[in-house]
Amino acid sequence: MKNVRQVLRHLVLLLLSVFWLIPIIWLVATSFGTDTGPNIRTFFPASLTLENYRVLLFGADSVAQFPNWFKNTFIIACFTCVVSSSFVLMVAYAMSCMRFKARKGLMTFASILSLFPGFLSMIAVYFIMKSIGLTNSN
């Protein structure tokens, strides 16, 4: 009985992972295709090329500055990771050492807050930026 449950559990996990990986595989396969848009006729493109990556990485177009964008994003992501990890470690250490009345409620609130992804706050940030005139729009 235990083995049957394990086999069923693994089959469900395998099925879920296949459903999760199909869009990623399709995206990568389409990126190697020669079509100018998404390949919706077949799963894999008829012919393969590296031209799309050559244009992306080495194209002379002034708009397509992907290597610079990638470098800037990587630097900001590393810095943000180090700073946020430092703050989280400091707060976690303080919360584990200090005992005060609102500790349990504060930890519950922090746990609930961590359930929501960070990009949900982008709408609020956009409205704040728009209200102070930082969006280049009226």
PDB file of all heavy atoms in Angstrom, residues 64-86:
ATOM      1  N   ALA A  64      18.326  47.793 -29.298  1.00  0.00           N
ATOM      2  CA  ALA A  64      18.584  46.473 -28.732  1.00  0.00           C
ATOM      3  C   ALA A  64      19.935  46.457 -28.026  1.00  0.00           C
ATOM      4  O   ALA A  64      20.934  46.036 -28.582  1.00  0.00           O
ATOM      5  CB  ALA A  64      18.530  45.414 -29.824  1.00  0.00           C
ATOM      6  N   GLN A  65      19.962  46.903 -26.817  1.00  0.00           N
ATOM      7  CA  GLN A  65      21.188  46.917 -26.030  1.00  0.00           C
ATOM      8  C   GLN A  65      21.095  45.870 -24.923  1.00  0.00           C
ATOM      9  O   GLN A  65      21.348  46.139 -23.762  1.00  0.00           O
ATOM     10  CB  GLN A  65      21.415  48.303 -25.451  1.00  0.00           C
ATOM     11  CG  GLN A  65      21.566  49.367 -26.491  1.00  0.00           C
ATOM     12  CD  GLN A  65      21.652  50.743 -25.864  1.00  0.00           C
ATOM     13  OE1 GLN A  65      21.608  50.884 -24.665  1.00  0.00           O
ATOM     14  NE2 GLN A  65      21.763  51.749 -26.696  1.00  0.00           N
ATOM     15  N   PHE A  66      20.747  44.667 -25.318  1.00  0.00           N
ATOM     16  CA  PHE A  66      20.505  43.601 -24.356  1.00  0.00           C
ATOM     17  C   PHE A  66      21.698  43.312 -23.449  1.00  0.00           C
ATOM     18  O   PHE A  66      21.513  43.148 -22.235  1.00  0.00           O
ATOM     19  CB  PHE A  66      20.053  42.330 -25.079  1.00  0.00           C
ATOM     20  CG  PHE A  66      19.721  41.209 -24.156  1.00  0.00           C
ATOM     21  CD1 PHE A  66      18.514  41.188 -23.484  1.00  0.00           C
ATOM     22  CD2 PHE A  66      20.615  40.176 -23.929  1.00  0.00           C
ATOM     23  CE1 PHE A  66      18.199  40.168 -22.619  1.00  0.00           C
ATOM     24  CE2 PHE A  66      20.314  39.153 -23.066  1.00  0.00           C
ATOM     25  CZ  PHE A  66      19.102  39.147 -22.414  1.00  0.00           C
ATOM     26  N   PRO A  67      22.935  43.220 -23.969  1.00  0.00           N
ATOM     27  CA  PRO A  67      24.047  42.950 -23.039  1.00  0.00           C
ATOM     28  C   PRO A  67      24.181  43.997 -21.929  1.00  0.00           C
ATOM     29  O   PRO A  67      24.414  43.641 -20.773  1.00  0.00           O
ATOM     30  CB  PRO A  67      25.282  42.941 -23.953  1.00  0.00           C
ATOM     31  CG  PRO A  67      24.743  42.541 -25.284  1.00  0.00           C
ATOM     32  CD  PRO A  67      23.388  43.181 -25.358  1.00  0.00           C
ATOM     33  N   ASN A  68      23.996  45.274 -22.270  1.00  0.00           N
ATOM     34  CA  ASN A  68      24.055  46.314 -21.237  1.00  0.00           C
ATOM     35  C   ASN A  68      22.897  46.183 -20.260  1.00  0.00           C
ATOM     36  O   ASN A  68      23.071  46.351 -19.043  1.00  0.00           O
ATOM     37  CB  ASN A  68      24.038  47.709 -21.865  1.00  0.00           C
ATOM     38  CG  ASN A  68      25.370  48.064 -22.459  1.00  0.00           C
ATOM     39  OD1 ASN A  68      26.396  47.540 -22.059  1.00  0.00           O
ATOM     40  ND2 ASN A  68      25.356  48.951 -23.439  1.00  0.00           N
ATOM     41  N   TRP A  69      21.718  45.918 -20.776  1.00  0.00           N
ATOM     42  CA  TRP A  69      20.555  45.742 -19.906  1.00  0.00           C
ATOM     43  C   TRP A  69      20.761  44.551 -18.966  1.00  0.00           C
ATOM     44  O   TRP A  69      20.442  44.608 -17.790  1.00  0.00           O
ATOM     45  CB  TRP A  69      19.295  45.541 -20.721  1.00  0.00           C
ATOM     46  CG  TRP A  69      18.886  46.709 -21.542  1.00  0.00           C
ATOM     47  CD1 TRP A  69      19.287  48.010 -21.404  1.00  0.00           C
ATOM     48  CD2 TRP A  69      18.008  46.696 -22.661  1.00  0.00           C
ATOM     49  NE1 TRP A  69      18.695  48.791 -22.360  1.00  0.00           N
ATOM     50  CE2 TRP A  69      17.908  48.012 -23.152  1.00  0.00           C
ATOM     51  CE3 TRP A  69      17.293  45.703 -23.306  1.00  0.00           C
ATOM     52  CZ2 TRP A  69      17.125  48.356 -24.233  1.00  0.00           C
ATOM     53  CZ3 TRP A  69      16.509  46.043 -24.389  1.00  0.00           C
ATOM     54  CH2 TRP A  69      16.426  47.355 -24.847  1.00  0.00           C
ATOM     55  N   PHE A  70      21.285  43.468 -19.518  1.00  0.00           N
ATOM     56  CA  PHE A  70      21.514  42.272 -18.710  1.00  0.00           C
ATOM     57  C   PHE A  70      22.549  42.550 -17.625  1.00  0.00           C
ATOM     58  O   PHE A  70      22.374  42.152 -16.465  1.00  0.00           O
ATOM     59  CB  PHE A  70      21.974  41.115 -19.604  1.00  0.00           C
ATOM     60  CG  PHE A  70      22.091  39.815 -18.874  1.00  0.00           C
ATOM     61  CD1 PHE A  70      20.971  39.036 -18.643  1.00  0.00           C
ATOM     62  CD2 PHE A  70      23.316  39.374 -18.407  1.00  0.00           C
ATOM     63  CE1 PHE A  70      21.071  37.837 -17.962  1.00  0.00           C
ATOM     64  CE2 PHE A  70      23.430  38.187 -17.721  1.00  0.00           C
ATOM     65  CZ  PHE A  70      22.300  37.416 -17.506  1.00  0.00           C
ATOM     66  N   LYS A  71      23.637  43.235 -17.980  1.00  0.00           N
ATOM     67  CA  LYS A  71      24.688  43.562 -17.014  1.00  0.00           C
ATOM     68  C   LYS A  71      24.132  44.442 -15.896  1.00  0.00           C
ATOM     69  O   LYS A  71      24.362  44.185 -14.711  1.00  0.00           O
ATOM     70  CB  LYS A  71      25.846  44.263 -17.715  1.00  0.00           C
ATOM     71  CG  LYS A  71      26.972  44.677 -16.784  1.00  0.00           C
ATOM     72  CD  LYS A  71      27.998  45.519 -17.488  1.00  0.00           C
ATOM     73  CE  LYS A  71      27.343  46.820 -17.839  1.00  0.00           C
ATOM     74  NZ  LYS A  71      28.174  47.898 -18.247  1.00  0.00           N
ATOM     75  N   ASN A  72      23.372  45.482 -16.266  1.00  0.00           N
ATOM     76  CA  ASN A  72      22.794  46.378 -15.251  1.00  0.00           C
ATOM     77  C   ASN A  72      21.828  45.642 -14.336  1.00  0.00           C
ATOM     78  O   ASN A  72      21.849  45.819 -13.114  1.00  0.00           O
ATOM     79  CB  ASN A  72      22.082  47.546 -15.930  1.00  0.00           C
ATOM     80  CG  ASN A  72      23.042  48.474 -16.635  1.00  0.00           C
ATOM     81  OD1 ASN A  72      24.234  48.461 -16.366  1.00  0.00           O
ATOM     82  ND2 ASN A  72      22.524  49.263 -17.557  1.00  0.00           N
ATOM     83  N   THR A  73      20.982  44.803 -14.918  1.00  0.00           N
ATOM     84  CA  THR A  73      20.021  44.039 -14.120  1.00  0.00           C
ATOM     85  C   THR A  73      20.734  43.079 -13.186  1.00  0.00           C
ATOM     86  O   THR A  73      20.348  42.918 -12.021  1.00  0.00           O
ATOM     87  CB  THR A  73      19.056  43.276 -15.041  1.00  0.00           C
ATOM     88  OG1 THR A  73      18.404  44.211 -15.897  1.00  0.00           O
ATOM     89  CG2 THR A  73      18.025  42.505 -14.249  1.00  0.00           C
ATOM     90  N   PHE A  74      21.789  42.440 -13.684  1.00  0.00           N
ATOM     91  CA  PHE A  74      22.549  41.505 -12.860  1.00  0.00           C
ATOM     92  C   PHE A  74      23.201  42.212 -11.676  1.00  0.00           C
ATOM     93  O   PHE A  74      23.160  41.714 -10.539  1.00  0.00           O
ATOM     94  CB  PHE A  74      23.604  40.800 -13.724  1.00  0.00           C
ATOM     95  CG  PHE A  74      24.377  39.752 -12.991  1.00  0.00           C
ATOM     96  CD1 PHE A  74      23.795  38.531 -12.682  1.00  0.00           C
ATOM     97  CD2 PHE A  74      25.684  39.982 -12.591  1.00  0.00           C
ATOM     98  CE1 PHE A  74      24.501  37.562 -11.999  1.00  0.00           C
ATOM     99  CE2 PHE A  74      26.397  39.024 -11.909  1.00  0.00           C
ATOM    100  CZ  PHE A  74      25.807  37.802 -11.610  1.00  0.00           C
ATOM    101  N   ILE A  75      23.786  43.367 -11.901  1.00  0.00           N
ATOM    102  CA  ILE A  75      24.436  44.121 -10.826  1.00  0.00           C
ATOM    103  C   ILE A  75      23.411  44.546  -9.780  1.00  0.00           C
ATOM    104  O   ILE A  75      23.616  44.384  -8.569  1.00  0.00           O
ATOM    105  CB  ILE A  75      25.186  45.341 -11.401  1.00  0.00           C
ATOM    106  CG1 ILE A  75      26.405  44.880 -12.201  1.00  0.00           C
ATOM    107  CG2 ILE A  75      25.603  46.308 -10.300  1.00  0.00           C
ATOM    108  CD1 ILE A  75      27.058  45.975 -13.010  1.00  0.00           C
ATOM    109  N   ILE A  76      22.276  45.069 -10.238  1.00  0.00           N
ATOM    110  CA  ILE A  76      21.234  45.512  -9.305  1.00  0.00           C
ATOM    111  C   ILE A  76      20.654  44.327  -8.544  1.00  0.00           C
ATOM    112  O   ILE A  76      20.408  44.410  -7.328  1.00  0.00           O
ATOM    113  CB  ILE A  76      20.144  46.295 -10.056  1.00  0.00           C
ATOM    114  CG1 ILE A  76      20.709  47.635 -10.513  1.00  0.00           C
ATOM    115  CG2 ILE A  76      18.911  46.494  -9.189  1.00  0.00           C
ATOM    116  CD1 ILE A  76      19.820  48.405 -11.438  1.00  0.00           C
ATOM    117  N   ALA A  77      20.450  43.198  -9.224  1.00  0.00           N
ATOM    118  CA  ALA A  77      19.893  42.013  -8.560  1.00  0.00           C
ATOM    119  C   ALA A  77      20.848  41.481  -7.492  1.00  0.00           C
ATOM    120  O   ALA A  77      20.412  41.110  -6.394  1.00  0.00           O
ATOM    121  CB  ALA A  77      19.595  40.935  -9.592  1.00  0.00           C
ATOM    122  N   CYS A  78      22.139  41.446  -7.792  1.00  0.00           N
ATOM    123  CA  CYS A  78      23.121  40.981  -6.791  1.00  0.00           C
ATOM    124  C   CYS A  78      23.162  41.911  -5.589  1.00  0.00           C
ATOM    125  O   CYS A  78      23.156  41.454  -4.436  1.00  0.00           O
ATOM    126  CB  CYS A  78      24.502  40.862  -7.429  1.00  0.00           C
ATOM    127  SG  CYS A  78      24.653  39.488  -8.568  1.00  0.00           S
ATOM    128  N   PHE A  79      23.190  43.223  -5.838  1.00  0.00           N
ATOM    129  CA  PHE A  79      23.218  44.192  -4.748  1.00  0.00           C
ATOM    130  C   PHE A  79      21.952  44.087  -3.897  1.00  0.00           C
ATOM    131  O   PHE A  79      22.015  44.072  -2.660  1.00  0.00           O
ATOM    132  CB  PHE A  79      23.371  45.606  -5.317  1.00  0.00           C
ATOM    133  CG  PHE A  79      23.422  46.675  -4.269  1.00  0.00           C
ATOM    134  CD1 PHE A  79      24.544  46.834  -3.477  1.00  0.00           C
ATOM    135  CD2 PHE A  79      22.336  47.512  -4.067  1.00  0.00           C
ATOM    136  CE1 PHE A  79      24.593  47.818  -2.501  1.00  0.00           C
ATOM    137  CE2 PHE A  79      22.368  48.492  -3.092  1.00  0.00           C
ATOM    138  CZ  PHE A  79      23.505  48.643  -2.310  1.00  0.00           C
ATOM    139  N   THR A  80      20.795  43.981  -4.548  1.00  0.00           N
ATOM    140  CA  THR A  80      19.526  43.859  -3.835  1.00  0.00           C
ATOM    141  C   THR A  80      19.483  42.583  -3.006  1.00  0.00           C
ATOM    142  O   THR A  80      18.999  42.587  -1.866  1.00  0.00           O
ATOM    143  CB  THR A  80      18.351  43.887  -4.829  1.00  0.00           C
ATOM    144  OG1 THR A  80      18.423  45.087  -5.587  1.00  0.00           O
ATOM    145  CG2 THR A  80      17.022  43.789  -4.133  1.00  0.00           C
ATOM    146  N   CYS A  81      20.002  41.512  -3.554  1.00  0.00           N
ATOM    147  CA  CYS A  81      20.023  40.236  -2.830  1.00  0.00           C
ATOM    148  C   CYS A  81      20.872  40.336  -1.572  1.00  0.00           C
ATOM    149  O   CYS A  81      20.470  39.882  -0.499  1.00  0.00           O
ATOM    150  CB  CYS A  81      20.543  39.140  -3.754  1.00  0.00           C
ATOM    151  SG  CYS A  81      20.562  37.514  -3.008  1.00  0.00           S
ATOM    152  N   VAL A  82      22.041  40.945  -1.686  1.00  0.00           N
ATOM    153  CA  VAL A  82      22.929  41.073  -0.531  1.00  0.00           C
ATOM    154  C   VAL A  82      22.302  41.978   0.534  1.00  0.00           C
ATOM    155  O   VAL A  82      22.282  41.627   1.719  1.00  0.00           O
ATOM    156  CB  VAL A  82      24.316  41.609  -0.968  1.00  0.00           C
ATOM    157  CG1 VAL A  82      25.151  42.035   0.219  1.00  0.00           C
ATOM    158  CG2 VAL A  82      25.035  40.566  -1.794  1.00  0.00           C
ATOM    159  N   VAL A  83      21.766  43.116   0.112  1.00  0.00           N
ATOM    160  CA  VAL A  83      21.185  44.059   1.072  1.00  0.00           C
ATOM    161  C   VAL A  83      19.947  43.465   1.748  1.00  0.00           C
ATOM    162  O   VAL A  83      19.819  43.515   2.983  1.00  0.00           O
ATOM    163  CB  VAL A  83      20.856  45.402   0.381  1.00  0.00           C
ATOM    164  CG1 VAL A  83      20.030  46.291   1.285  1.00  0.00           C
ATOM    165  CG2 VAL A  83      22.132  46.110  -0.026  1.00  0.00           C
ATOM    166  N   SER A  84      19.040  42.880   0.959  1.00  0.00           N
ATOM    167  CA  SER A  84      17.821  42.330   1.568  1.00  0.00           C
ATOM    168  C   SER A  84      18.132  41.137   2.456  1.00  0.00           C
ATOM    169  O   SER A  84      17.513  40.968   3.510  1.00  0.00           O
ATOM    170  CB  SER A  84      16.798  41.965   0.494  1.00  0.00           C
ATOM    171  OG  SER A  84      17.280  40.912  -0.306  1.00  0.00           O
ATOM    172  N   SER A  85      19.093  40.304   2.063  1.00  0.00           N
ATOM    173  CA  SER A  85      19.475  39.177   2.927  1.00  0.00           C
ATOM    174  C   SER A  85      20.074  39.673   4.230  1.00  0.00           C
ATOM    175  O   SER A  85      19.813  39.097   5.297  1.00  0.00           O
ATOM    176  CB  SER A  85      20.472  38.272   2.207  1.00  0.00           C
ATOM    177  OG  SER A  85      19.874  37.661   1.098  1.00  0.00           O
ATOM    178  N   SER A  86      20.857  40.724   4.169  1.00  0.00           N
ATOM    179  CA  SER A  86      21.439  41.286   5.391  1.00  0.00           C
ATOM    180  C   SER A  86      20.350  41.786   6.331  1.00  0.00           C
ATOM    181  O   SER A  86      20.377  41.496   7.544  1.00  0.00           O
ATOM    182  CB  SER A  86      22.389  42.438   5.055  1.00  0.00           C
ATOM    183  OG  SER A  86      23.429  42.003   4.239  1.00  0.00           O
TER     184      SER A  86
END
